Each structure stands twice: as structure tokens, then as C-alpha cells.
Amino acid sequence: MALEITEKDHGVTDGVSRRSVLKSIGLAAAGASLGGTYYFTDVGSADDPLEYDIEEVSTACWIGKQDCTMRAKVVNDRVVQLKPDPNDEVIDGLCPKGVSTVADLYDPYRIKQPLKRVSGEKGEVGEFEPISWEQAAEEIGEELGPMLEDDPRRVHFQIGRVKGAEWHMDGWVAALEEAYDEGINVRGHGNVCATGNKMALSRMGAGFSSPEPDFHNTEFFLNWGWNATQAGGPHLCNTTYSREMSEGYENGMDIAVLDPQRRGSGQWCDEWMPIEPGTDLAFFLAFNHVLLEEEYIDEWFLRNTTNAPCLVYTEGDNEGEVVRAADVDEIDADSEDPVESDAAILWTEGEVVYDEEAEELTTHEETLPDDPHDPTAVGTAALRVDDDLEVDGDEVRPAFELFEENMAEYDPEWASEITDLPAEQIRRVAEKWGEEARIGSTTTVEINGERRQVPYRPVSMSLYHVSQQELGPTAMQAGMMPLFLVGAVETVGSSRSGYVNAPDPSHREHVRERAFDPEETLTWEPDAPDLEGTYFHPDANGSYAKVPHVLNNPDEYNLPHDPEDMAVVVCYANPLSGAPNRERSREGYSQYGTVIAVDPQMSDTAAYTADYVLPTTTVDKYENAKDGMSNTHYTSSTRTAPIPQLWECRDEGEIFKDLAAELDAGDEYVDYVNDAFELEGEDAFDDVDELTVEECLDRSPRYGEEYREGPQSEERPLDERYWVLMPESDNLDEDIHRTEYSPFGFKWQFYLESFELLGENVREGFEEEYGDDADEQFPYIQDITGFAQWREPTMWNSPDEYDLTLFDYKQIEHKQSRTAQNPMLNELAPNNYIRMNSRDAAEIGVSDGDRVVVESHNAVTGDTYELEGDLMVLEGIKPGTIAIPYGNDTHTQHPNVKALDEGANPNDLFDSTEGYCSWSADQSFHIRVKVEPAGGDGE
């Protein structure tokens, strides 16, 4: 749903008087949702002149990931409408979430001043009393100060979707670590969002992002689990991504959808593949098998720009390692340490290949064509060799050859038994991919006034939340290979790394360190409950979902302090509702000695576990610049408060500067803000008392006055859309990006040497610590390998009576738990139905609209959980599965929401223990369940 874009109103209409208060939240909400305007009038004498003021203020949505620009229509300091800004070249209207935030603004149940828990055990709904901001800061300082003095690892910071990080996640944390010491644990929400695919892509590529299609030039699009009409892409909300895809479809792009539910992609779907949830890995293994079998191989890309031809030890002490020049006496060349510099991390010089023209071992660099930027010039490094090769008596083989051998057993007939997809369909889609890739074709683009020939590979894929499954990172590892095999990455028509404008070595670095130097970099002693960098999760990103499980079992995971001696600041996050297993989450966060919730609402996390609740702003927020992007444009704006901030609510910047000052880190906080916002000379703040968020935005050269007037959009340069143009890019760093070897400036990791070595290190460590059966307790340790390999999901070990697979999905009205307390959105989407195919419903003996009980089973612990909800029977979902969207049924104390919210929440059924998270701690949103009629068995 999107509103019609309307032009800015000019001038003031006479004849309507001012009204001092907003009488009804329903009136404002209705006006916003219909796109109309309401004026609020006082009752007065007929002789009195009626006056009112109208203005429009440019701001940005504070809910979604795209930060869509909005214009707030303000009548006498009352926001009466939020609408899309017509000057934004990126967005195509606002979704219901953006429009409805006016209801959050005037919600009578917003927290209006700081609250302190005065009774009620942690884990139960507490009783709170209002206190002043001064008292709140002083008491929180008294709680956190001694912890920071003793060990900063005792203080944790939990953020939801990151917005305004300069004020808190970066600024406040940096100030405290400067004043005390490093060690504060910072956790994001990515492990319940989409980092499962980013963990693989950023190690195989060089950007912490998800693959995004070049919709304007793609001819075949594989839609992997993305809800085309209800959800956005990797960095976009739903309006832009859907529009770009529909335009591509209208221009002749074919679309295949891999998803157990047809959902909103039906009208944009040439091929629907209703896959068994959790088996995406098997699908892509078979997909790769077909491409190899049919010889859909881009030799230019693989030989020149990846490590596919690099030789790998298959035996001996160096098994799994890439051969380097120093290992071969006959090669007179230097070898780089894979982690000695940023440049070496992106392209390690001295890796050895077999030169099929010279018939000898040599370095990869020696086999490259004279002009590595020529998309028709193929190097001489062999992908396959006929003769046996040895180095110091140990067998070595090209990585590509090992990959072929690894894929040999995974044919479509094998995958069909696992995925429940017809073998002929898997083969047909894979062959279409290979054919449509047009391997060897080129196109010409103009950049910096010159014409440049580049590869043209018009096949692409996209995914996001679907990677949140137990085998998610491994599925992504396999899913990238169809792109690699046909060369469809970072060039015209292909998938790109989204919002990352240049290859970045930072996300490869620590993985390589733990792969090559485990004794110094891996430990059984975590700094915090996210377990990042330990044997438990050697490459993780926040462990949002698993943290409660760890807090409930601190001794098992060797936490440095008891949870009761630790504190957490939860900022704009609601893990008790937004993370799986709400029962486990409530128990886990209740273990903390001190919980501070920064939130405009009484979230579940606040109600059940917080000692202090600090009310922040919603639409009435000053924050920082917002940068959005599409395939073709950038847009920048500022999140500006359209009205004076309501009640005693404060921006996050105001909250965290006071907490910094109370903790004797005010000067450090000011220094960070000055640096982050580029404030120098007279514009720089001298002390923390002088600092305000609004004044900071006024002074900062990053946000000129034009940002306050409206979004600033500009065309996205081609070199930032396609890394293949890196040699001409303004983002080129000649000290890091080795464009003398590759137009991409780095080497793609066809073979993940770092994963192979890291996996061996981890498995050896677990065997020593837990014995030969370690993989039964920690099944994910099997998945850290150089090439993706199949294993059965742990959930398949549940008893046969749990015969259905539950998965979740997104509704356009909700954004994780951030929208759950919005009365307007709950009225639009009040019920999370339990979706089921008609065949399953008939077998169970239930019908559309019936009440049913769903019970889930944890195959590792044996725990069971259940919920009750209303059934929706439909054909557009795979038999053997059920689906429940997230967003509804928080345990909120909000009376209006409780009255409207009739839905089930799948987070009551999912679990977050081993077996239900990946090796990178990414949460799985799949679990085996059984369904029965509410009140008894069906007949």
C-alpha cells in the first residue's frame, strides 16, 4: 500500500481557527491513513477571527530500514498527516508503517517521563513510578559506574535497527571505552534479520551486504524467499524494491520464485518452486551440479578474478591450505601473509596455480592477461589438470576441480528427495540460468567521458531474511556459486553487493586471523554472552537471539561474570518479543542485575525486565542525516522534529549525553560528536552541557540548510553500481584495491580457505573439550567448510508426530516488534493467521477460520512450546508446512493494542538453542510442529 504523491501545499487558507490540543488519536490516524488533512478548531465567539498556521516539515520515517523521507503536515504545532516527499528520487510512496507513525506520536500510552521499577520480580510485569531525568541519570550512573571501573565487560549495549549510531552505539560506547577501557559488549539485531547470508557473501566477496539485482538490466531473476509485495530488499523498504522489480518484469524479465509460500509474488512469477523449508542448501547444490554438468562456466571470471584455479593441498600438514610461492622451490616469487595488510586480505599475492600454457607451477599473477580489465582476455591458469601435481610430496589440486568433485553427488534427483521439488524443475531453472547468463557477452558503458567494455551477465538473485535458518550461511555459500560460475557479480545485469560502494577488507580480516592463528585468536572464554570470537561462534554478529540462552546457562559458556553482576542498555529493541522463544528470552534478560530500556513505549522488555525506562521520541525526533539508495539514485535527508518534542521525551542524543556526563565521560562524548559531525573551530562544542542534538545538526557541515527543506537526490554513479568499474571509481584506494590484477580490485573467494581452516580449528577444539560426540550437542560445527556440504537440519530429529514445518514471513504492516504497539497498524492487520494448505487441514480435520493449537518441539532439548490461533486455509502454501507472520501478539500493557491484537506470534514456538542457530549464531526461523483443533482432536 502506498499513498498518491501530492504536491506541497503553499500559502494559508483563511477561515479556520487554531486548536490547542489533539482531541482524538483516532482523528489524526484516520486523516493520515486516508491521505487527507484535518484541522483542529476551538469553540469561540462568532465575532472572533479564526486563525491557524500550516507548514510542511521534511523528516524521515523512524521505523523502516530505508528511512523513507516524509513531509509532515503541521497545523498549529499538530502533525495531522505524514506523506511521501515528492522530491525523493528513491522512494515511491510510504507504506502503512510510515504513514501510521502519527499514531505513535500522539499515543496516549506513550511513556511520557522516566520510570523506575519499584516492585515486581524480574520476569514479571513490574510496577513503575515516574522520576525526573536528573534522578534517572544519577541512579543509572551509580549502577554502571562501579561496573565500568571494575571491568567494562560487565556493561552491554543492545540496539534494534541501527539509527543515529553517532549518539549511542558508536558515540556513547566510544566515550565510555575512552574514559574507562575497551570491552563493552555491543549487540545488533542482525542475527534475527539477515546476517546469515552476509556472513558468507562478505567472506566470498568483500562487502557486508546481501546480493541485489540490477533490475534495469537483468533478464532472469531468481527470487529466493523474498516477499515481493510485502517486504523490501536488503536495504530498501517495500515500495522501491517492488517498483524496480515490477518495472523489470514489464520489460520482459523472467522470474523464478523459490519459496514455500506463493504470497505476493504470484503475479510476478513465471516459475514457482514451493521448497521444503530448511532445504535451500540442497537446492543450490543441485543447481551448481547442473551448471557444471552443462558447462555453464565463465572462464574469464573464474580464471582471472577468483581463486578457483589456485592449488589446494589435499593431504599432509597443510591440507586445506592454498599453495603459496614460498612452498615451491621452482618459483622465484614472494608470498604474502594472507593477513599482513588490507591489500593482502583482498588479493593475496603469490598464490600458486598451474599454468596450462607454460605447463608449470607459477603464481596466479603471472598467468593473468596483459590487460586484466579486458573482458575477453582469459588468463592461462588451469581450472582442471590432467596430471597429478605434488608440492613436497603432498598432492595439490585446483580449487575448481575440488569443487566439481564436491558437487558430483548432488544431482537434481538427489535434491528432489530432500526439497520436495521435481528434479526436472530444478534442472530446467538451472539450465535457464546458465543460458540467460550469456557467458562471454559484453556491453559498453560510458564513465568519466570514456567508453568502457564490461561483461554483460543478465541473471541475478536476491534474498534477505530467508537466510535465517540453521544452514543459512552454508546455503548462502552454495547460493553464491551459481553467480560465480557464470560470472554474474558486480557487472551489468548481475547481482551486486548493494549499498557497499567498494570492496572492504575488514570483514575478511578477523576470520583469516582465526583461521591461520587459532592459538592467539580463538578462546573458550567469551567476553560477553554473544560468544563472538570464541570456539562457540568464531564468526558471529551480535547473537541477538542466542544471548538469553547463554544468560540462562552462564557456567556452560564460561561467562566472565554472573549475569546478576552485569547491566544492559536496550535501545529501541524489544528482544522479549522480537527474538525467538519469548519464554527463554524473558528468563534470560531477567538474569541481568540492571536493565535500562530506552524506548517510547512500554515494550515487553521494559515491562518484564527493566529497572529504568527512559522515554525517547518518535516522529518528534532530531537525529542525523538519512541516506537512502536505489539501483539508480541516492537520496539524503535529515530526521527533523516537525513539532516541539512532547511531554518529557528526549532524543537519544540528549539521553546518552547525560548518561555520559554522569559517568564522567562527557568530554569524551563531546569529542566524539565533534568528530562524527565534522564540527571544527567555533562550530565545535566545548562541553557536554552546551551540546544539543538540534544545535549539532544546525552546525554540522554534513547537513546544510537544504537538507531541512527536503531530500537531496542525485544519480548513483556507475562505478558505485558495478565494482567491475573499480579502476575508474572515486572510491578506489590504490593502497588496498589491486586493480592491476583485476577490474574488481580484489580476488573473489571461490574456495573459502579461511572457512576450511577455521572449521578444522573449531572441530579440533570441540573434540578436545567435549569429546567425539561434540557435533551432536553443537551440530553447526560441521558446517564451517571451504565448500558447502549437505547435512540434514537438526529439526528433522523431532518425533514423527511433529509432521509439519513452521516458517515465518513478513507483513507490510509490521516491522519485527517495532510496530506491535501501534494501534493503527493493529487495526489494519489485527490477526496473525496460521496459514495451512487445504490437504493438511483436511487430514487434521479443521477448516478455514477454526481455532487450532500449534505445538513445537526442540529436537536437542526436548522442550515443547505451544500457541493458539485462527487458521487460514489456502492453496498457495506448500503441503507439510504452516506459516505465521511476525509482528503481532506482544505481551504489551497497551490497552488499545491488547484490544485490537488478535494474532499469534511465531516467536512463541521458535527456539534459540544449538540446533536452531547457525555456526555464525544466526537464528533459525524453522521448527517442526504439530497442529490440532483447539479443544480436542479433530474427527
Side-chain angles (χ1 to χ4, degrees):
M1 170 181 148
L3 300 182
E4 293 288 328
I5 296 177
T6 56
E7 296 299 323
K8 177 179 178 179
D9 290 337
H10 298 281
V12 176
T13 304
D14 294 330
V16 181
S17 70
R18 176 173 183 148
R19 186 170 185 168
S20 60
V21 295
L22 177 61
K23 188 173 183 180
S24 167
I25 186 173
L27 188 60
S33 65
L34 297 174
T37 301
Y38 285 85
Y39 305 112
F40 306 100
T41 60
D42 284 324
V43 177
S45 168
D47 297 329
D48 292 338
L50 303 178
E51 297 181 358
Y52 65 92
D53 296 318
I54 296 179
E55 64 173 330
E56 287 194 351
V57 179
S58 179
T59 187
C61 176
W62 63 279
I63 289 181
K65 58 190 168 187
Q66 189 176 340
D67 300 309
C68 295
T69 57
M70 306 188 298
R71 299 198 75 82
K73 179 166 285 189
V74 180
V75 178
N76 292 351
D77 287 339
R78 297 293 183 271
V79 177
V80 297
Q81 182 190 30
L82 297 170
K83 60 183 180 180
D85 196 305
N87 299 313
D88 191 331
E89 297 286 348
V90 169
I91 68 169
D92 291 279
L94 293 177
C95 75
K97 296 184 291 295
V99 174
S100 73
T101 53
V102 71
D104 291 315
L105 177 64
Y106 292 115
D107 188 344
Y109 297 98
R110 264 182 72 176
I111 300 173
K112 301 176 178 63
Q113 64 187 103
L115 301 177
K116 177 182 178 180
R117 179 184 290 260
V118 292
S119 66
E121 294 293 323
K122 293 285 190 73
E124 301 175 356
V125 175
E127 293 291 332
F128 296 83
E129 68 176 13
I131 59 174
S132 68
W133 278 104
E134 292 73 20
Q135 181 182 345
E138 180 180 354
E139 293 186 9
I140 292 171
E142 291 172 352
E143 291 275 354
L144 302 189
M147 296 185 191
L148 291 165
E149 288 281 1
D150 173 61
D151 184 352
R153 295 182 302 172
R154 293 175 61 185
V155 176
H156 305 160
F157 184 87
Q158 174 74 66
I159 188 69
R161 179 160 292 281
V162 177
K163 296 176 184 292
E166 298 96 328
W167 302 112
H168 42 73
M169 188 174 83
D170 294 341
W172 186 66
V173 171
L176 294 184
E177 292 193 330
E178 180 72 21
Y180 295 91
D181 199 356
E182 295 183 355
I184 295 174
N185 179 234
V186 178
R187 305 192 293 263
H189 80 297
N191 295 90
V192 296
C193 182
T195 59
N197 74 77
K198 296 178 182 180
M199 301 304 281
L201 176 57
S202 59
R203 281 55 168 167
M204 301 175 79
F208 197 69
S209 180
S210 303
E212 296 188 24
D214 183 13
F215 280 128
H216 291 79
N217 299 292
T218 290
E219 296 182 14
F220 182 49
F221 171 46
L222 177 57
N223 181 345
W224 180 10
W226 168 55
N227 186 349
T229 60
Q230 298 280 298
H235 68 274
L236 298 170
C237 283
N238 79 296
T239 58
T240 304
Y241 217 64
S242 300
R243 185 259 299 166
E244 290 184 341
M245 193 189 78
S246 63
E247 289 175 350
Y249 191 70
E250 290 169 359
N251 290 332
M253 178 180 70
D254 292 331
I255 300 177
V257 175
L258 186 69
D259 194 321
Q261 189 175 198
R262 192 159 55 229
R263 297 187 289 183
S265 59
Q267 61 179 318
W268 295 319
C269 178
D270 300 289
E271 187 108 34
W272 177 37
M273 296 174 283
I275 190 170
E276 174 65 26
T279 67
D280 306 75
L281 170 58
F283 171 83
F284 282 110
L285 292 173
F287 201 102
N288 293 325
H289 176 99
V290 174
L291 294 177
L292 292 169
E293 184 178 65
E294 300 298 327
E295 287 289 325
Y296 288 116
I297 297 169
D298 184 346
E299 297 206 5
W300 175 86
F301 178 76
L302 292 172
R303 290 180 187 242
N304 294 9
T305 72
T306 80
N307 69 352
C310 294
L311 300 178
V312 180
Y313 288 100
T314 61
E315 60 184 11
D317 293 340
N318 298 322
E319 184 178 356
E321 292 187 26
V322 170
V323 180
R324 293 182 167 81
D327 303 340
V328 184
D329 294 337
E330 295 80 10
I331 297 179
D332 183 19
D334 293 330
S335 296
E336 278 189 314
D337 185 317
V339 293
E340 74 177 49
S341 68
D342 286 345
I345 290 170
L346 289 180
W347 182 293
T348 307
E349 293 179 332
E351 294 180 334
V352 175
V353 300
Y354 179 75
D355 188 331
E356 62 184 15
E357 186 175 272
E359 298 184 344
E360 64 182 11
L361 303 186
T362 187
T363 63
H364 194 187
E365 293 78 30
E366 288 297 316
T367 66
L368 298 175
D370 293 336
D371 181 6
H373 303 163
D374 181 352
T376 65
V378 180
T380 57
L383 296 176
R384 307 177 178 100
V385 293
D386 295 328
D387 301 326
D388 293 336
L389 300 178
E390 291 185 353
V391 172
D392 286 341
D394 292 330
E395 182 187 63
V396 297
R397 297 172 63 189
F400 184 84
E401 199 172 271
L402 296 175
F403 177 68
E404 281 192 303
E405 185 176 282
N406 195 55
M407 293 298 108
E409 64 178 299
Y410 300 130
D411 59 32
E413 288 70 28
W414 165 85
S416 179
E417 295 295 320
I418 295 170
T419 63
D420 208 19
L421 296 174
E424 57 270 24
Q425 185 180 41
I426 297 173
R427 188 175 297 278
R428 180 174 63 248
V429 173
E431 289 178 350
K432 182 176 178 61
W433 176 275
E435 196 64 30
E436 294 287 353
R438 301 190 185 187
I439 296 170
S441 64
T442 63
T443 188
T444 303
V445 299
E446 184 173 322
I447 182 168
N448 298 330
E450 297 183 5
R451 297 180 67 77
R452 168 89 183 276
Q453 189 180 24
V454 298
Y456 176 54
R457 301 291 182 273
V459 293
S460 62
M461 81 157 90
S462 184
L463 72 151
Y464 203 51
H465 185 81
V466 70
S467 64
Q468 300 309 118
Q469 50 184 280
E470 184 192 5
L471 304 177
T474 312
M476 183 62 194
Q477 197 175 342
M480 282 298 294
M481 285 304 194
L483 299 169
F484 280 16
L485 288 172
V486 302
V489 288
E490 292 296 341
T491 193
V492 177
S494 71
S495 288
R496 290 85 43 75
S497 295
Y499 47 80
V500 182
N501 292 333
D504 179 1
S506 63
H507 298 291
R508 286 184 177 185
E509 181 177 10
H510 66 276
V511 182
R512 290 196 175 189
E513 290 173 345
R514 292 162 192 166
F516 288 97
D517 192 8
E519 292 184 1
E520 292 295 325
T521 56
L522 282 176
T523 178
W524 290 106
E525 306 296 328
D527 289 328
D530 65 358
L531 307 180
E532 202 281 328
T534 67
Y535 281 97
F536 296 110
H537 290 293
D539 189 13
N541 184 44
S543 302
Y544 188 101
K546 192 170 182 178
V547 162
H549 175 59
V550 177
L551 292 170
N552 290 331
N553 300 276
D555 293 336
E556 180 178 335
Y557 295 99
N558 309 315
L559 289 188
H561 300 280
D562 289 334
E564 64 184 21
D565 296 323
M566 299 188 291
V568 63
V569 177
V570 182
C571 183
Y572 262 128
N574 188 13
L576 267 65
S577 177
N581 204 292
R582 297 196 288 178
E583 181 178 320
R584 198 182 301 281
S585 295
R586 183 167 61 249
E587 181 184 351
Y589 276 82
S590 297
Q591 308 297 323
Y592 273 112
T594 303
V595 178
I596 299 119
V598 180
D599 204 298
Q601 299 156 333
M602 183 61 78
S603 67
D604 290 359
T605 305
Y608 285 95
T609 68
D611 297 281
Y612 297 92
V613 186
L614 307 182
T616 187
T617 46
T618 61
V619 177
D620 50 333
K621 182 187 298 294
Y622 288 102
E623 196 168 60
N624 59 2
K626 303 290 117 185
D627 297 313
M629 61 177 284
S630 65
N631 267 321
T632 58
H633 285 81
Y634 292 125
T635 190
S636 298
S637 62
T638 301
R639 183 168 286 122
T640 303
I643 61 171
Q645 291 168 347
L646 299 177
W647 301 295
E648 295 183 37
C649 302
R650 293 186 177 181
D651 293 327
E652 291 93 301
E654 306 292 341
I655 294 172
F656 284 98
K657 75 154 190 177
D658 286 348
L659 294 181
E662 196 65 41
L663 291 163
D664 298 321
D667 291 342
E668 291 82 357
Y669 189 75
V670 169
D671 289 343
Y672 182 91
V673 169
N674 283 335
D675 183 61
F677 289 91
E678 303 173 15
L679 302 177
E680 299 177 348
E682 294 182 355
D683 289 329
F685 292 99
D686 294 325
D687 60 67
V688 71
D689 293 332
E690 178 190 5
L691 173 64
T692 70
V693 178
E694 182 178 6
E695 181 67 19
C696 178
L697 299 184
D698 286 340
R699 296 185 186 187
S700 175
R702 286 173 54 188
Y703 319 127
E705 184 61 32
E706 66 272 15
Y707 285 90
R708 298 299 186 91
E709 296 299 321
Q712 305 300 303
S713 296
E714 62 181 5
E715 192 168 345
R716 189 178 179 189
L718 285 179
D719 62 90
E720 295 184 359
R721 293 172 62 182
Y722 310 115
W723 286 359
V724 76
L725 296 171
M726 202 65 208
E728 286 80 25
S729 175
D730 290 338
N731 295 297
L732 173 66
D733 185 335
E734 295 182 353
D735 293 331
I736 297 177
H737 303 122
R738 287 177 162 165
T739 53
E740 66 269 29
Y741 301 138
S742 165
F744 301 105
F746 75 104
K747 186 182 293 189
W748 296 91
Q749 299 298 288
F750 183 89
Y751 168 63
L752 271 168
E753 177 190 27
S754 58
F755 278 16
E756 181 70 23
L757 301 181
L758 178 63
E760 286 300 316
N761 296 335
V762 168
R763 285 185 286 275
E764 288 177 9
F766 268 92
E767 185 175 346
E768 292 176 6
E769 191 76 11
Y770 288 91
D772 294 338
D773 298 330
D775 58 0
E776 295 182 10
Q777 185 175 352
F778 300 90
Y780 57 72
I781 64 175
Q782 304 168 74
D783 305 327
I784 317 173
T785 54
F787 293 124
Q789 299 177 16
W790 172 253
R791 73 167 173 89
E792 291 187 351
T794 303
M795 64 179 173
W796 288 6
N797 294 328
S798 287
D800 291 344
E801 64 187 282
Y802 297 92
D803 55 348
L804 301 169
T805 302
L806 166 67
F807 64 96
D808 70 349
Y809 66 96
K810 183 181 185 298
Q811 299 178 104
I812 195 172
E813 295 87 2
H814 287 292
K815 180 67 179 174
Q816 294 161 331
S817 65
R818 194 172 301 117
T819 56
Q821 298 207 41
N822 185 298
M824 212 174 132
L825 293 173
N826 275 281
E827 187 168 1
L828 288 172
N831 198 342
N832 280 356
Y833 287 97
I834 298 163
R835 294 188 169 198
M836 174 183 287
N837 188 275
S838 60
R839 294 185 222 170
D840 297 320
E843 184 173 328
I844 296 169
V846 291
S847 303
D848 188 69
D850 286 355
R851 295 288 287 180
V852 295
V853 175
V854 184
E855 181 179 287
S856 65
H857 179 269
N858 183 317
V860 175
T861 67
D863 293 334
T864 61
Y865 302 92
E866 71 174 39
L867 60 73
E868 185 173 315
D870 295 329
L871 187 68
M872 176 186 289
V873 177
L874 69 165
E875 299 304 318
I877 186 172
K878 182 189 179 300
T881 70
I882 66 169
I884 306 175
Y886 57 79
N888 287 68
D889 191 31
T890 67
H891 298 153
T892 176
Q893 302 307 300
H894 190 309
N896 285 0
V897 174
K898 291 176 77 171
L900 292 168
D901 183 350
E902 304 164 0
N905 188 326
N907 282 338
D908 281 329
L909 299 174
F910 295 126
D911 214 338
S912 56
T913 66
E914 287 77 20
Y916 296 87
C917 65
S918 72
W919 67 266
S920 57
D922 284 281
Q923 173 61 37
S924 173
F925 289 96
H926 297 151
I927 198 166
R928 297 291 282 178
V929 300
K930 63 180 180 180
V931 177
E932 297 178 346
D937 296 334
E939 298 294 338

